Amino acid sequence: MSSPAEPISVVVVDDHAIFRSGLKADLDARIDVLAEAATVETAIAAIRRFQPQVVLLDVHLPGGSGGGGAEVLAGCADLLGSTRFLALSVSDAAEDVVTVIRAGARGYVTKTISGAEISDAVLRVADGDAVFSPRLAGFVLDAFGASTTVSVEDELDRLSVREREVMRLIARGYSYKEVAKELFISVKTVETHVSAVLRKLQLSSRHELTRWAAARRLL
């Protein structure tokens, strides 16, 4: 008999304590809330400490330099390969949606949806999907339209098939040893491929590579 799947670890970021309490009560048993935060600074600290699989992130937050959810994403950019962010907001403004998606969020849902729907969205984001409330997806398509797709394809065309495989694993936070094991190649070969990827994409570090891949939704 197979054992039940481990719950998805989550940090909830919202400046309203009553909303956080209600949200925690509505999330189903497949989700484990590790911590809560109410400001930009406490959110970054909690996310970096607990490194959850998913962050439920309000778009408008006090603190920091006024950047709200996007500022939290910027402060955790090096974690985007392993932690995924789902924006959860009362706002359905196109500017808010596009800003946090550009910053690296994997989806955006409004607070009008039910606890069951939020739970499902968390599970889907943890599994690698991009999730949006229906009318919000159009904003993203408009902002990341055909020209963006062409640009990404042009950039990926610079890489060999193997370099693309290595790039995605490194961007997701795999160590060189883990990449080598996954692709059945040596660590030295992984290092060679990473150097080539960084050179071809004009990036200086694996952290920049993670941000580059997250911004293009390649993780």
Side-chain angles (χ1 to χ4, degrees):
M1 182 175 178
S2 60
S3 58
E6 290 292 321
I8 302 299
S9 59
V10 169
V11 166
V12 175
V13 180
D14 192 280
D15 61 333
H16 293 95
I18 292 176
F19 176 79
R20 296 197 308 270
S21 297
L23 177 61
K24 286 173 61 179
D26 280 345
L27 294 173
D28 69 33
R30 295 171 295 174
I31 296 168
D32 180 22
V33 177
L34 302 180
E36 303 173 34
T39 67
V40 169
E41 294 90 347
T42 58
I44 293 172
I47 294 162
R48 300 195 71 84
R49 177 183 176 188
F50 291 99
Q51 298 193 20
Q53 291 166 272
V54 177
V55 176
L56 278 169
L57 178 67
D58 195 8
V59 173
H60 299 290
L61 294 168
S65 59
E71 188 173 347
V72 173
L73 280 154
C76 300
D78 58 309
L79 302 179
L80 289 177
S82 56
T83 294
R84 296 186 168 99
F85 290 75
L86 174 62
L88 177 63
S89 177
V90 294
S91 171
D92 60 1
E95 180 181 359
D96 287 335
V97 177
V98 172
T99 296
V100 294
I101 298 304
R102 287 192 187 280
R106 296 286 297 189
Y108 193 118
V109 293
T110 59
K111 291 180 178 179
T112 57
I113 68 175
S114 68
E117 289 171 323
I118 293 177
S119 296
D120 180 66
V122 168
L123 295 169
R124 289 172 57 196
V125 166
D127 200 38
D129 291 344
V131 180
F132 297 92
S133 293
R135 69 179 298 270
L136 304 184
F139 298 150
V140 179
L141 291 175
D142 289 342
F144 300 92
S147 61
T148 301
T149 302
V150 171
S151 175
V152 171
E153 287 303 317
D154 286 346
E155 290 173 312
L156 289 177
D157 281 345
R158 303 173 195 169
L159 309 180
S160 68
V161 173
R162 180 62 88 188
E163 287 169 349
R164 292 188 194 190
E165 293 173 338
V166 171
M167 176 272 292
R168 283 190 169 92
L169 292 175
I170 290 294
R172 288 172 183 164
Y174 282 56
S175 68
Y176 285 6
K177 186 175 180 180
E178 289 169 333
V179 174
K181 183 177 180 181
E182 183 78 13
L183 299 179
F184 303 101
I185 56 179
S186 70
V187 173
K188 183 65 176 177
T189 300
V190 174
E191 292 173 352
T192 299
H193 285 315
V194 171
S195 295
V197 168
L198 295 177
R199 184 183 70 255
K200 291 179 180 180
L201 298 179
Q202 299 180 354
L203 302 172
S204 61
S205 70
R206 62 183 297 161
H207 298 313
E208 283 192 9
L209 178 61
T210 295
R211 289 195 293 270
W212 179 90
R216 290 154 180 78
R217 305 191 299 284
L218 296 174
L219 299 180

PDB file of all heavy atoms in Angstrom, residues 173-202:
ATOM      1  N   GLY A 173      17.520  24.914  -9.447  1.00  0.00           N
ATOM      2  CA  GLY A 173      18.194  24.788  -8.175  1.00  0.00           C
ATOM      3  C   GLY A 173      18.967  23.502  -7.967  1.00  0.00           C
ATOM      4  O   GLY A 173      19.481  23.245  -6.876  1.00  0.00           O
ATOM      5  N   TYR A 174      19.078  22.658  -9.005  1.00  0.00           N
ATOM      6  CA  TYR A 174      19.849  21.426  -8.883  1.00  0.00           C
ATOM      7  C   TYR A 174      21.323  21.761  -8.702  1.00  0.00           C
ATOM      8  O   TYR A 174      21.839  22.723  -9.285  1.00  0.00           O
ATOM      9  CB  TYR A 174      19.712  20.569 -10.149  1.00  0.00           C
ATOM     10  CG  TYR A 174      18.424  19.791 -10.282  1.00  0.00           C
ATOM     11  CD1 TYR A 174      17.178  20.410 -10.229  1.00  0.00           C
ATOM     12  CD2 TYR A 174      18.441  18.409 -10.495  1.00  0.00           C
ATOM     13  CE1 TYR A 174      15.998  19.702 -10.377  1.00  0.00           C
ATOM     14  CE2 TYR A 174      17.269  17.689 -10.645  1.00  0.00           C
ATOM     15  CZ  TYR A 174      16.054  18.341 -10.583  1.00  0.00           C
ATOM     16  OH  TYR A 174      14.887  17.629 -10.738  1.00  0.00           O
ATOM     17  N   SER A 175      22.030  20.965  -7.921  1.00  0.00           N
ATOM     18  CA  SER A 175      23.480  21.098  -7.823  1.00  0.00           C
ATOM     19  C   SER A 175      24.124  20.458  -9.056  1.00  0.00           C
ATOM     20  O   SER A 175      23.477  19.700  -9.786  1.00  0.00           O
ATOM     21  CB  SER A 175      23.996  20.391  -6.566  1.00  0.00           C
ATOM     22  OG  SER A 175      23.838  18.986  -6.684  1.00  0.00           O
ATOM     23  N   TYR A 176      25.405  20.764  -9.286  1.00  0.00           N
ATOM     24  CA  TYR A 176      26.094  20.154 -10.429  1.00  0.00           C
ATOM     25  C   TYR A 176      26.062  18.630 -10.319  1.00  0.00           C
ATOM     26  O   TYR A 176      25.879  17.923 -11.314  1.00  0.00           O
ATOM     27  CB  TYR A 176      27.543  20.647 -10.489  1.00  0.00           C
ATOM     28  CG  TYR A 176      27.724  22.062 -10.981  1.00  0.00           C
ATOM     29  CD1 TYR A 176      26.640  22.888 -11.226  1.00  0.00           C
ATOM     30  CD2 TYR A 176      28.997  22.582 -11.194  1.00  0.00           C
ATOM     31  CE1 TYR A 176      26.806  24.186 -11.674  1.00  0.00           C
ATOM     32  CE2 TYR A 176      29.180  23.891 -11.638  1.00  0.00           C
ATOM     33  CZ  TYR A 176      28.061  24.683 -11.873  1.00  0.00           C
ATOM     34  OH  TYR A 176      28.236  25.967 -12.319  1.00  0.00           O
ATOM     35  N   LYS A 177      26.254  18.120  -9.103  1.00  0.00           N
ATOM     36  CA  LYS A 177      26.249  16.668  -8.890  1.00  0.00           C
ATOM     37  C   LYS A 177      24.889  16.076  -9.217  1.00  0.00           C
ATOM     38  O   LYS A 177      24.796  15.003  -9.841  1.00  0.00           O
ATOM     39  CB  LYS A 177      26.628  16.362  -7.440  1.00  0.00           C
ATOM     40  CG  LYS A 177      26.801  14.884  -7.137  1.00  0.00           C
ATOM     41  CD  LYS A 177      27.287  14.690  -5.704  1.00  0.00           C
ATOM     42  CE  LYS A 177      27.467  13.193  -5.395  1.00  0.00           C
ATOM     43  NZ  LYS A 177      27.949  12.986  -4.000  1.00  0.00           N
ATOM     44  N   GLU A 178      23.813  16.774  -8.823  1.00  0.00           N
ATOM     45  CA  GLU A 178      22.459  16.282  -9.106  1.00  0.00           C
ATOM     46  C   GLU A 178      22.159  16.312 -10.599  1.00  0.00           C
ATOM     47  O   GLU A 178      21.516  15.404 -11.135  1.00  0.00           O
ATOM     48  CB  GLU A 178      21.443  17.127  -8.345  1.00  0.00           C
ATOM     49  CG  GLU A 178      21.450  16.891  -6.838  1.00  0.00           C
ATOM     50  CD  GLU A 178      20.632  17.908  -6.069  1.00  0.00           C
ATOM     51  OE1 GLU A 178      20.464  19.062  -6.563  1.00  0.00           O
ATOM     52  OE2 GLU A 178      20.178  17.577  -4.972  1.00  0.00           O
ATOM     53  N   VAL A 179      22.635  17.350 -11.281  1.00  0.00           N
ATOM     54  CA  VAL A 179      22.448  17.421 -12.739  1.00  0.00           C
ATOM     55  C   VAL A 179      23.182  16.275 -13.416  1.00  0.00           C
ATOM     56  O   VAL A 179      22.650  15.621 -14.325  1.00  0.00           O
ATOM     57  CB  VAL A 179      22.939  18.771 -13.290  1.00  0.00           C
ATOM     58  CG1 VAL A 179      22.878  18.777 -14.823  1.00  0.00           C
ATOM     59  CG2 VAL A 179      22.101  19.914 -12.730  1.00  0.00           C
ATOM     60  N   ALA A 180      24.406  16.034 -12.982  1.00  0.00           N
ATOM     61  CA  ALA A 180      25.195  14.945 -13.555  1.00  0.00           C
ATOM     62  C   ALA A 180      24.487  13.607 -13.399  1.00  0.00           C
ATOM     63  O   ALA A 180      24.425  12.801 -14.347  1.00  0.00           O
ATOM     64  CB  ALA A 180      26.575  14.900 -12.887  1.00  0.00           C
ATOM     65  N   LYS A 181      23.937  13.372 -12.231  1.00  0.00           N
ATOM     66  CA  LYS A 181      23.221  12.119 -11.976  1.00  0.00           C
ATOM     67  C   LYS A 181      21.963  12.029 -12.826  1.00  0.00           C
ATOM     68  O   LYS A 181      21.650  10.969 -13.387  1.00  0.00           O
ATOM     69  CB  LYS A 181      22.856  12.024 -10.495  1.00  0.00           C
ATOM     70  CG  LYS A 181      22.167  10.722 -10.109  1.00  0.00           C
ATOM     71  CD  LYS A 181      21.909  10.678  -8.607  1.00  0.00           C
ATOM     72  CE  LYS A 181      21.207   9.374  -8.219  1.00  0.00           C
ATOM     73  NZ  LYS A 181      20.918   9.325  -6.751  1.00  0.00           N
ATOM     74  N   GLU A 182      21.235  13.131 -12.939  1.00  0.00           N
ATOM     75  CA  GLU A 182      19.983  13.154 -13.697  1.00  0.00           C
ATOM     76  C   GLU A 182      20.209  12.893 -15.185  1.00  0.00           C
ATOM     77  O   GLU A 182      19.428  12.196 -15.841  1.00  0.00           O
ATOM     78  CB  GLU A 182      19.307  14.522 -13.514  1.00  0.00           C
ATOM     79  CG  GLU A 182      17.963  14.673 -14.191  1.00  0.00           C
ATOM     80  CD  GLU A 182      16.825  14.013 -13.426  1.00  0.00           C
ATOM     81  OE1 GLU A 182      17.021  13.650 -12.244  1.00  0.00           O
ATOM     82  OE2 GLU A 182      15.750  13.844 -14.023  1.00  0.00           O
ATOM     83  N   LEU A 183      21.301  13.441 -15.717  1.00  0.00           N
ATOM     84  CA  LEU A 183      21.546  13.359 -17.161  1.00  0.00           C
ATOM     85  C   LEU A 183      22.598  12.310 -17.538  1.00  0.00           C
ATOM     86  O   LEU A 183      22.940  12.179 -18.721  1.00  0.00           O
ATOM     87  CB  LEU A 183      21.982  14.733 -17.685  1.00  0.00           C
ATOM     88  CG  LEU A 183      20.963  15.875 -17.514  1.00  0.00           C
ATOM     89  CD1 LEU A 183      21.539  17.178 -18.055  1.00  0.00           C
ATOM     90  CD2 LEU A 183      19.646  15.541 -18.200  1.00  0.00           C
ATOM     91  N   PHE A 184      23.104  11.591 -16.515  1.00  0.00           N
ATOM     92  CA  PHE A 184      24.094  10.527 -16.761  1.00  0.00           C
ATOM     93  C   PHE A 184      25.345  11.067 -17.445  1.00  0.00           C
ATOM     94  O   PHE A 184      25.848  10.491 -18.427  1.00  0.00           O
ATOM     95  CB  PHE A 184      23.480   9.386 -17.588  1.00  0.00           C
ATOM     96  CG  PHE A 184      22.262   8.778 -16.968  1.00  0.00           C
ATOM     97  CD1 PHE A 184      20.994   9.118 -17.417  1.00  0.00           C
ATOM     98  CD2 PHE A 184      22.368   7.877 -15.915  1.00  0.00           C
ATOM     99  CE1 PHE A 184      19.859   8.576 -16.837  1.00  0.00           C
ATOM    100  CE2 PHE A 184      21.238   7.319 -15.327  1.00  0.00           C
ATOM    101  CZ  PHE A 184      19.983   7.665 -15.782  1.00  0.00           C
ATOM    102  N   ILE A 185      25.827  12.201 -16.941  1.00  0.00           N
ATOM    103  CA  ILE A 185      27.071  12.781 -17.449  1.00  0.00           C
ATOM    104  C   ILE A 185      27.947  13.126 -16.248  1.00  0.00           C
ATOM    105  O   ILE A 185      27.506  13.052 -15.102  1.00  0.00           O
ATOM    106  CB  ILE A 185      26.816  14.047 -18.303  1.00  0.00           C
ATOM    107  CG1 ILE A 185      26.021  15.090 -17.498  1.00  0.00           C
ATOM    108  CG2 ILE A 185      26.078  13.693 -19.589  1.00  0.00           C
ATOM    109  CD1 ILE A 185      25.731  16.390 -18.255  1.00  0.00           C
ATOM    110  N   SER A 186      29.187  13.490 -16.498  1.00  0.00           N
ATOM    111  CA  SER A 186      30.102  13.800 -15.396  1.00  0.00           C
ATOM    112  C   SER A 186      29.875  15.222 -14.882  1.00  0.00           C
ATOM    113  O   SER A 186      29.330  16.080 -15.599  1.00  0.00           O
ATOM    114  CB  SER A 186      31.551  13.663 -15.862  1.00  0.00           C
ATOM    115  OG  SER A 186      31.881  14.704 -16.774  1.00  0.00           O
ATOM    116  N   VAL A 187      30.306  15.469 -13.650  1.00  0.00           N
ATOM    117  CA  VAL A 187      30.213  16.809 -13.079  1.00  0.00           C
ATOM    118  C   VAL A 187      31.021  17.792 -13.914  1.00  0.00           C
ATOM    119  O   VAL A 187      30.606  18.936 -14.130  1.00  0.00           O
ATOM    120  CB  VAL A 187      30.698  16.807 -11.615  1.00  0.00           C
ATOM    121  CG1 VAL A 187      30.775  18.231 -11.074  1.00  0.00           C
ATOM    122  CG2 VAL A 187      29.782  15.962 -10.745  1.00  0.00           C
ATOM    123  N   LYS A 188      32.177  17.343 -14.399  1.00  0.00           N
ATOM    124  CA  LYS A 188      33.015  18.211 -15.236  1.00  0.00           C
ATOM    125  C   LYS A 188      32.278  18.626 -16.501  1.00  0.00           C
ATOM    126  O   LYS A 188      32.357  19.791 -16.929  1.00  0.00           O
ATOM    127  CB  LYS A 188      34.309  17.475 -15.598  1.00  0.00           C
ATOM    128  CG  LYS A 188      35.292  18.326 -16.403  1.00  0.00           C
ATOM    129  CD  LYS A 188      35.809  19.497 -15.583  1.00  0.00           C
ATOM    130  CE  LYS A 188      36.863  20.289 -16.352  1.00  0.00           C
ATOM    131  NZ  LYS A 188      37.310  21.476 -15.593  1.00  0.00           N
ATOM    132  N   THR A 189      31.540  17.700 -17.087  1.00  0.00           N
ATOM    133  CA  THR A 189      30.763  18.015 -18.286  1.00  0.00           C
ATOM    134  C   THR A 189      29.656  19.009 -17.963  1.00  0.00           C
ATOM    135  O   THR A 189      29.374  19.922 -18.743  1.00  0.00           O
ATOM    136  CB  THR A 189      30.159  16.732 -18.888  1.00  0.00           C
ATOM    137  OG1 THR A 189      31.218  15.838 -19.234  1.00  0.00           O
ATOM    138  CG2 THR A 189      29.352  17.037 -20.142  1.00  0.00           C
ATOM    139  N   VAL A 190      29.038  18.843 -16.811  1.00  0.00           N
ATOM    140  CA  VAL A 190      28.013  19.805 -16.374  1.00  0.00           C
ATOM    141  C   VAL A 190      28.621  21.193 -16.268  1.00  0.00           C
ATOM    142  O   VAL A 190      28.052  22.183 -16.747  1.00  0.00           O
ATOM    143  CB  VAL A 190      27.402  19.394 -15.015  1.00  0.00           C
ATOM    144  CG1 VAL A 190      26.455  20.486 -14.508  1.00  0.00           C
ATOM    145  CG2 VAL A 190      26.652  18.080 -15.133  1.00  0.00           C
ATOM    146  N   GLU A 191      29.787  21.297 -15.644  1.00  0.00           N
ATOM    147  CA  GLU A 191      30.455  22.588 -15.486  1.00  0.00           C
ATOM    148  C   GLU A 191      30.731  23.229 -16.854  1.00  0.00           C
ATOM    149  O   GLU A 191      30.553  24.438 -17.030  1.00  0.00           O
ATOM    150  CB  GLU A 191      31.762  22.410 -14.724  1.00  0.00           C
ATOM    151  CG  GLU A 191      31.575  22.004 -13.266  1.00  0.00           C
ATOM    152  CD  GLU A 191      32.885  21.673 -12.585  1.00  0.00           C
ATOM    153  OE1 GLU A 191      33.924  21.615 -13.292  1.00  0.00           O
ATOM    154  OE2 GLU A 191      32.886  21.475 -11.353  1.00  0.00           O
ATOM    155  N   THR A 192      31.153  22.407 -17.798  1.00  0.00           N
ATOM    156  CA  THR A 192      31.433  22.906 -19.148  1.00  0.00           C
ATOM    157  C   THR A 192      30.166  23.445 -19.796  1.00  0.00           C
ATOM    158  O   THR A 192      30.167  24.530 -20.408  1.00  0.00           O
ATOM    159  CB  THR A 192      32.030  21.786 -20.019  1.00  0.00           C
ATOM    160  OG1 THR A 192      33.249  21.336 -19.438  1.00  0.00           O
ATOM    161  CG2 THR A 192      32.300  22.285 -21.432  1.00  0.00           C
ATOM    162  N   HIS A 193      29.065  22.692 -19.660  1.00  0.00           N
ATOM    163  CA  HIS A 193      27.794  23.133 -20.248  1.00  0.00           C
ATOM    164  C   HIS A 193      27.293  24.415 -19.584  1.00  0.00           C
ATOM    165  O   HIS A 193      26.788  25.315 -20.268  1.00  0.00           O
ATOM    166  CB  HIS A 193      26.732  22.031 -20.115  1.00  0.00           C
ATOM    167  CG  HIS A 193      26.915  20.896 -21.064  1.00  0.00           C
ATOM    168  ND1 HIS A 193      27.196  21.068 -22.404  1.00  0.00           N
ATOM    169  CD2 HIS A 193      26.834  19.545 -20.874  1.00  0.00           C
ATOM    170  CE1 HIS A 193      27.283  19.886 -23.002  1.00  0.00           C
ATOM    171  NE2 HIS A 193      27.071  18.952 -22.089  1.00  0.00           N
ATOM    172  N   VAL A 194      27.406  24.508 -18.264  1.00  0.00           N
ATOM    173  CA  VAL A 194      26.940  25.708 -17.567  1.00  0.00           C
ATOM    174  C   VAL A 194      27.736  26.931 -18.024  1.00  0.00           C
ATOM    175  O   VAL A 194      27.164  28.003 -18.269  1.00  0.00           O
ATOM    176  CB  VAL A 194      27.046  25.537 -16.033  1.00  0.00           C
ATOM    177  CG1 VAL A 194      26.781  26.864 -15.324  1.00  0.00           C
ATOM    178  CG2 VAL A 194      26.065  24.481 -15.547  1.00  0.00           C
ATOM    179  N   SER A 195      29.035  26.775 -18.154  1.00  0.00           N
ATOM    180  CA  SER A 195      29.865  27.888 -18.631  1.00  0.00           C
ATOM    181  C   SER A 195      29.425  28.340 -20.019  1.00  0.00           C
ATOM    182  O   SER A 195      29.334  29.545 -20.301  1.00  0.00           O
ATOM    183  CB  SER A 195      31.340  27.469 -18.668  1.00  0.00           C
ATOM    184  OG  SER A 195      31.820  27.216 -17.368  1.00  0.00           O
ATOM    185  N   ALA A 196      29.120  27.357 -20.884  1.00  0.00           N
ATOM    186  CA  ALA A 196      28.677  27.681 -22.239  1.00  0.00           C
ATOM    187  C   ALA A 196      27.324  28.385 -22.225  1.00  0.00           C
ATOM    188  O   ALA A 196      27.099  29.359 -22.958  1.00  0.00           O
ATOM    189  CB  ALA A 196      28.595  26.399 -23.074  1.00  0.00           C
ATOM    190  N   VAL A 197      26.413  27.909 -21.375  1.00  0.00           N
ATOM    191  CA  VAL A 197      25.077  28.513 -21.274  1.00  0.00           C
ATOM    192  C   VAL A 197      25.181  29.965 -20.811  1.00  0.00           C
ATOM    193  O   VAL A 197      24.579  30.870 -21.401  1.00  0.00           O
ATOM    194  CB  VAL A 197      24.179  27.706 -20.308  1.00  0.00           C
ATOM    195  CG1 VAL A 197      22.906  28.492 -19.975  1.00  0.00           C
ATOM    196  CG2 VAL A 197      23.817  26.353 -20.908  1.00  0.00           C
ATOM    197  N   LEU A 198      25.958  30.197 -19.750  1.00  0.00           N
ATOM    198  CA  LEU A 198      26.105  31.553 -19.232  1.00  0.00           C
ATOM    199  C   LEU A 198      26.731  32.480 -20.271  1.00  0.00           C
ATOM    200  O   LEU A 198      26.311  33.630 -20.431  1.00  0.00           O
ATOM    201  CB  LEU A 198      26.947  31.545 -17.955  1.00  0.00           C
ATOM    202  CG  LEU A 198      26.339  30.820 -16.747  1.00  0.00           C
ATOM    203  CD1 LEU A 198      27.316  30.829 -15.581  1.00  0.00           C
ATOM    204  CD2 LEU A 198      25.011  31.451 -16.333  1.00  0.00           C
ATOM    205  N   ARG A 199      27.723  31.956 -20.985  1.00  0.00           N
ATOM    206  CA  ARG A 199      28.384  32.772 -22.005  1.00  0.00           C
ATOM    207  C   ARG A 199      27.417  33.119 -23.141  1.00  0.00           C
ATOM    208  O   ARG A 199      27.307  34.283 -23.554  1.00  0.00           O
ATOM    209  CB  ARG A 199      29.598  32.026 -22.562  1.00  0.00           C
ATOM    210  CG  ARG A 199      30.404  32.865 -23.575  1.00  0.00           C
ATOM    211  CD  ARG A 199      31.557  32.089 -24.161  1.00  0.00           C
ATOM    212  NE  ARG A 199      31.112  31.026 -25.068  1.00  0.00           N
ATOM    213  CZ  ARG A 199      31.106  29.729 -24.784  1.00  0.00           C
ATOM    214  NH1 ARG A 199      31.536  29.310 -23.612  1.00  0.00           N
ATOM    215  NH2 ARG A 199      30.685  28.845 -25.670  1.00  0.00           N
ATOM    216  N   LYS A 200      26.685  32.126 -23.627  1.00  0.00           N
ATOM    217  CA  LYS A 200      25.781  32.343 -24.760  1.00  0.00           C
ATOM    218  C   LYS A 200      24.603  33.249 -24.410  1.00  0.00           C
ATOM    219  O   LYS A 200      24.110  33.992 -25.264  1.00  0.00           O
ATOM    220  CB  LYS A 200      25.272  30.999 -25.285  1.00  0.00           C
ATOM    221  CG  LYS A 200      26.348  30.160 -25.967  1.00  0.00           C
ATOM    222  CD  LYS A 200      25.785  28.821 -26.448  1.00  0.00           C
ATOM    223  CE  LYS A 200      26.868  27.981 -27.121  1.00  0.00           C
ATOM    224  NZ  LYS A 200      26.324  26.674 -27.600  1.00  0.00           N
ATOM    225  N   LEU A 201      24.142  33.167 -23.146  1.00  0.00           N
ATOM    226  CA  LEU A 201      23.012  33.996 -22.728  1.00  0.00           C
ATOM    227  C   LEU A 201      23.455  35.312 -22.112  1.00  0.00           C
ATOM    228  O   LEU A 201      22.628  36.116 -21.686  1.00  0.00           O
ATOM    229  CB  LEU A 201      22.139  33.225 -21.722  1.00  0.00           C
ATOM    230  CG  LEU A 201      21.489  31.945 -22.260  1.00  0.00           C
ATOM    231  CD1 LEU A 201      20.682  31.271 -21.156  1.00  0.00           C
ATOM    232  CD2 LEU A 201      20.601  32.238 -23.460  1.00  0.00           C
ATOM    233  N   GLN A 202      24.782  35.509 -22.042  1.00  0.00           N
ATOM    234  CA  GLN A 202      25.374  36.736 -21.499  1.00  0.00           C
ATOM    235  C   GLN A 202      24.940  36.970 -20.051  1.00  0.00           C
ATOM    236  O   GLN A 202      24.541  38.069 -19.667  1.00  0.00           O
ATOM    237  CB  GLN A 202      25.020  37.934 -22.390  1.00  0.00           C
ATOM    238  CG  GLN A 202      25.554  37.792 -23.809  1.00  0.00           C
ATOM    239  CD  GLN A 202      25.216  38.981 -24.693  1.00  0.00           C
ATOM    240  OE1 GLN A 202      24.492  39.884 -24.298  1.00  0.00           O
ATOM    241  NE2 GLN A 202      25.731  38.977 -25.911  1.00  0.00           N
TER     242      GLN A 202
END
